[in-house]
Amino acid sequence: MATIGANDPLGMLVTPKSPCRELLAMIPAPLAIFADNQAVFVNAAACALMEAGSEDELLGLPPTAFAHPLDSGIVENRMRDLEEGIAVNGPLALRLITRRGRLRRITVSVARITIGGRPLVVIVSTDDGRRHENFLKKSEEHFQRLFESTQDIYYKTDASGVILKVAPAVRRVLGYEPQEMVGRRVEEFYPHPGERDSLKRALREHGEVQDFEGRTVRRDGVIIDVSISSYALYSPEGEFLGVEGIYRDISDRKNLERKLRRLATLDGLTGIANRRTFLEQASDSLRPVTRHNSCIVLFIADLDHFKMINDRYGHIAGDAVLERFARAVGLELRDRDLFGRLGGEEFGIVLHDTCRADAQRVASRIGESARGLRFAAPDGQEYRVTVSIGATRNHCDDAGIERLLARADRALYAAKEAGRDCIRWMEP
């Protein structure tokens, strides 16, 4: 410790019972005074900050002894600047290690003063621990608010897929309370447990997924579309620990996409395939049957005297005829058969793996269904409709659906010429 002589002005600051010492001891902020690079005075607040049993543990120590080893260079530079008379800029944020080995964060103000011709360095500090705790507390509160108000579902699972944590947003999206889901396996909330397999494969291969589309089931049993962004969790040793990420409800977007897809592929009036979609599907169905020498049958069905219905009863009545005819024909077809509106009152039908005799029976049923429809005119009178059908089968030389369409169209013309309400065939 620096030697303090009898006539040393410093004595009035540090000598026990001196008024100046008692005054310095009363300062609530940690304070230390250094002479010749050694602590010659520390107040009670400084001892408390450093967790020293008494001031004797600190007296005689250099300023760097009060700082964390990683910050001692900052202290040395500040002390050197003071010694050389270089102006210093504001307080310093430092870390220190207490006498009990604990880390604390402090802010210090350093000043060089001269008393009786003797240079002294005074360091006053504030303990940032409380401020740091308050910052962490506020950060945690902010995170909790975000966690509770987010529109997405945060979730975390263990390695076996058991839910460990889920955000409160699950109430709004799925109708469950968070605690109802914790402890249950994620697969329980999929329409089918196997639907999660593709997500697990992607996580194993890439470690994370972004906007991975899937489905989940609400508490009321309704299946909704979700977008999943998640990543796999691993221990430092590389052990798989689980999955963490978010689910986002994208049902509105997917429903809009489906609606747009329907508008692009379906006839707006009848709800069956439109012309472009029907021809594309018919072309696709022709390729495998050509390779495997199997058979398809193509019908073109045309409502007889449909223009007269429009002219006499109006287009609303005509639309009703088209809608009811399409529903009636759909009941006579199998799920694998194709049915579309080619335009106006003309419809296309493709029967898969069907011989001519079976196709003839289907055409007869379609004709009977058309004749069985009853429509009421505005004046109360009843009217009916009939349908003419042109039919053909595929041939190994048919390179595309266009050749079948041409033959079916000629067959339809023959049916019209034969008096309508009948079927005519055009062989390849």
Side-chain angles (χ1 to χ4, degrees):
M1 178 175 171
T3 302
I4 303 174
N7 298 320
D8 195 327
L10 182 59
M12 68 178 188
L13 294 178
V14 298
T15 301
K17 303 298 183 179
S18 71
C20 288
R21 178 185 175 89
E22 292 181 1
L23 179 63
L24 293 174
M26 293 173 58
I27 295 175
L31 179 145
I33 299 176
F34 296 85
D36 300 327
N37 207 40
Q38 298 178 37
V40 294
F41 173 82
V42 291
N43 66 359
C47 291
L49 174 66
M50 290 296 296
E51 294 186 310
S54 69
E55 63 180 31
D56 292 336
E57 289 189 46
L58 304 178
L59 294 177
L61 297 177
T64 53
F66 290 75
H68 189 283
L70 294 177
D71 289 345
S72 60
I74 300 175
V75 176
E76 289 176 349
N77 290 337
R78 179 59 60 93
M79 299 298 289
R80 185 166 52 250
D81 290 343
L82 289 171
E83 186 177 344
E84 296 175 359
I86 300 175
V88 296
N89 297 318
L92 288 175
L94 299 173
R95 293 163 292 182
L96 63 78
I97 299 294
T98 71
R99 305 300 283 178
R100 302 296 177 260
R102 276 192 277 266
L103 174 67
R104 285 185 173 173
R105 297 179 182 274
I106 61 172
T107 299
V108 300
S109 296
V110 184
R112 187 173 186 269
I113 62 175
T114 301
I115 297 180
R118 186 164 187 177
L120 304 174
V121 173
V122 180
I123 299 179
V124 180
S125 65
T126 57
D127 184 359
D128 288 348
R130 178 69 62 181
R131 186 174 68 179
H132 188 62
E133 289 176 5
N134 291 337
F135 175 78
L136 291 178
K137 182 179 179 181
K138 289 180 180 179
S139 296
E140 177 63 25
E141 291 173 351
H142 180 63
F143 172 79
Q144 191 65 28
R145 284 195 300 271
L146 290 175
F147 181 73
E148 293 179 356
S149 63
T150 179
Q151 299 300 299
D152 299 330
I153 303 177
Y154 165 85
Y155 78 102
K156 185 176 182 180
T157 75
D158 65 12
S160 61
V162 173
I163 298 172
L164 302 177
K165 191 172 187 179
V166 64
V170 75
R171 298 190 191 102
R172 177 185 58 81
V173 179
L174 298 184
Y176 289 97
E177 290 297 321
Q179 60 268 25
E180 292 182 277
M181 300 184 70
V182 171
R184 298 170 64 180
R185 295 181 63 83
V186 177
E187 282 84 357
E188 295 182 41
F189 302 95
Y190 277 75
H192 304 286
E195 289 192 25
R196 190 167 181 257
D197 292 344
S198 57
L199 173 64
K200 292 191 290 187
R201 284 195 299 270
L203 286 170
R204 283 196 297 267
E205 292 175 8
H206 308 292
E208 63 177 340
V209 295
Q210 296 292 329
D211 296 323
F212 190 96
E213 292 188 0
R215 303 188 303 164
T216 190
V217 183
R218 292 193 327 213
R219 185 169 193 159
D220 58 8
V222 175
I223 298 173
I224 65 171
D225 298 287
V226 294
S227 171
I228 307 168
S229 296
S230 305
Y231 58 91
L233 302 173
Y234 293 94
S235 69
E237 295 75 27
E239 179 187 3
F240 176 64
L241 300 178
V243 176
E244 185 176 44
I246 59 171
Y247 276 60
R248 175 172 297 170
D249 183 358
I250 58 170
S251 298
D252 290 343
R253 189 188 83 193
K254 296 300 292 184
N255 289 335
L256 177 60
E257 289 177 2
R258 295 183 187 104
K259 181 178 180 180
L260 293 175
R261 193 177 301 116
R262 285 195 299 270
L263 292 174
T265 60
L266 300 182
D267 175 60
L269 176 64
T270 62
I272 62 176
N274 59 25
R275 178 183 180 89
R276 179 179 60 82
T277 303
F278 175 79
L279 294 179
E280 289 177 353
Q281 292 175 343
S283 296
D284 292 341
S285 65
L286 184 62
R287 297 188 187 100
V289 301
T290 301
R291 288 196 303 269
H292 299 100
N293 198 29
S294 55
C295 180
I296 67 169
V297 171
L298 172 66
F299 291 162
I300 296 180
D302 186 273
L303 287 169
D304 298 323
H305 304 297
F306 182 74
K307 185 177 183 302
M308 183 183 67
I309 295 174
N310 273 336
D311 292 344
R312 181 176 298 179
Y313 305 118
H315 289 283
I316 293 178
D319 289 347
V321 170
L322 294 173
E323 288 182 84
R324 290 185 59 189
F325 173 74
R327 287 200 301 269
V329 173
L331 296 175
E332 304 298 338
L333 303 177
R334 301 164 299 183
D335 290 341
R336 57 178 174 165
D337 297 327
L338 303 180
F339 184 33
R341 185 180 176 193
L342 299 179
E345 69 273 24
E346 196 170 79
F347 297 82
I349 300 168
V350 171
L351 307 176
H352 291 93
D353 299 319
T354 304
C355 64
R356 174 166 173 161
D358 289 339
Q360 182 73 31
R361 283 189 285 270
V362 173
S364 298
R365 292 200 305 270
I366 291 174
E368 291 172 4
S369 295
R371 287 189 294 272
L373 297 174
R374 301 289 187 272
F375 301 93
D379 59 6
Q381 293 185 345
E382 184 180 89
Y383 63 93
R384 304 180 183 184
V385 296
T386 59
V387 62
S388 299
I389 299 175
T392 189
R393 296 177 296 173
N394 66 301
H395 187 269
C396 60
D397 291 336
D398 292 329
I401 196 66
E402 294 77 15
R403 296 186 64 174
L404 279 80
L405 286 169
R407 290 200 301 271
D409 197 55
R410 292 199 298 271
L412 176 63
Y413 181 79
K416 296 287 188 180
E417 287 291 306
R420 296 181 172 82
D421 191 20
C422 64
I423 179 173
R424 289 294 181 268
W425 288 81
M426 184 65 65
E427 293 296 334

